[in-house]
Amino acid sequence: MPKYVDPEARRRDVVDALFRVVVRDGLQRASLRAVADEAGLNIGSLRHYFASQRELMDFAMQSMLDRLGARLVRRVEEAGDLGRHPGPERLRLAVELLAELLPLDEVRRAEVAVFLDFNTAARTSPEFAGLARRTAVGARELVRRLLGRLEATGTLRPGLDLDIETERLTALLDGLGMTAVLHPDLLGAEACLAVLRGHLGDLAAH
């Protein structure tokens, strides 16, 4: 009997192969053939699951967002009601949540590298622009909701403009992620966390 292949598992394997190619060689070299070779498949088998590079990239980005979303949901569930924690603990939980967006280990480093290459491509490729914009909007919504919860529990200094603070914190996360991927010798994981802790600490009520 022919061996059964789980199509969803095979797609995930292909996405993982795509991530490895992008991290190693860049998005511009992540052709279907390069990804097929990385996944140990022939190009015909790969086309059975993805008809084009755009379809593969869309699926890869959505898979990455789904994985990130699952981790964020798990962090939120673990934190529970922020109000039941003392102030310093609320800030620690906020740092841990936002740290899921930073390249602090190999998994997150690959995700941020793919994200950066995808957004660079989206600047000149309209077919990627929609998903890139939804990703940017989603990041801001996450940050805004988190700041809103911290404000509601009295964790933040009174009088902060949360719209401005959302942009400041989002820009900080973007800058940390880009620098840590491009120049890991200049900005490592602990430094990223220290900067993030310091920023949230500056926003905290004393």
Side-chain angles (χ1 to χ4, degrees):
M1 293 181 63
K3 182 179 178 181
Y4 171 73
V5 177
D6 182 347
E8 288 305 314
R10 176 57 56 83
R11 286 190 179 92
R12 289 193 296 271
D13 289 344
V14 171
V15 167
D16 288 342
L18 170 68
F19 277 27
R20 293 194 296 272
V21 172
V22 173
V23 171
R24 185 179 65 238
D25 303 323
L27 181 63
Q28 69 278 9
R29 297 191 179 180
S31 65
L32 286 181
R33 183 167 297 282
V35 174
D37 290 344
E38 181 71 25
L41 301 171
N42 62 54
I43 190 69
S45 296
L46 182 61
R47 288 187 184 280
H48 178 71
Y49 299 99
F50 302 101
S52 66
Q53 185 190 34
R54 176 186 174 182
E55 187 177 322
L56 173 57
M57 282 302 304
D58 282 346
F59 186 85
M61 282 298 295
Q62 192 58 59
S63 296
M64 185 189 79
L65 294 174
D66 290 344
R67 292 195 306 197
L68 173 59
R71 295 202 307 268
L72 292 172
V73 167
R74 186 164 62 250
R75 290 288 187 187
V76 170
E77 290 176 345
E78 290 171 354
D81 178 12
L82 278 182
R84 66 185 176 88
H85 299 288
E89 181 71 3
R90 293 177 212 145
L91 290 176
R92 184 188 68 80
L93 291 168
V95 168
E96 289 182 354
L97 177 71
L98 294 174
E100 293 296 345
L101 305 176
L102 295 174
L104 304 183
D105 53 33
E106 288 306 310
V107 171
R108 284 175 284 185
R109 179 172 298 277
E111 290 175 349
V112 175
V114 171
F115 175 79
L116 290 173
D117 272 18
F118 183 84
N119 277 275
T120 299
R123 188 180 69 82
T124 54
S125 300
E127 63 268 25
F128 295 144
L131 183 54
R133 178 173 174 75
R134 290 198 300 274
T135 303
V137 170
R140 280 165 172 75
E141 289 176 347
L142 169 69
V143 170
R144 183 62 174 78
R145 286 198 301 270
L146 178 60
L147 291 176
R149 291 183 68 188
L150 291 173
E151 181 185 55
T153 55
T155 311
L156 302 183
R157 297 197 318 266
L160 291 175
D161 185 327
L162 292 195
D163 290 334
I164 291 177
E165 296 306 330
T166 294
E167 293 304 322
R168 290 181 66 210
L169 183 48
T170 302
L172 177 67
L173 292 167
D174 287 344
L176 290 174
M178 181 175 67
T179 303
V181 165
L182 296 179
H183 306 291
D185 57 321
L186 299 179
L187 185 65
E190 286 305 315
C192 282
L193 287 172
V195 171
L196 182 56
R197 289 190 197 102
H199 181 81
L200 288 178
D202 288 344
L203 300 182
H206 297 290

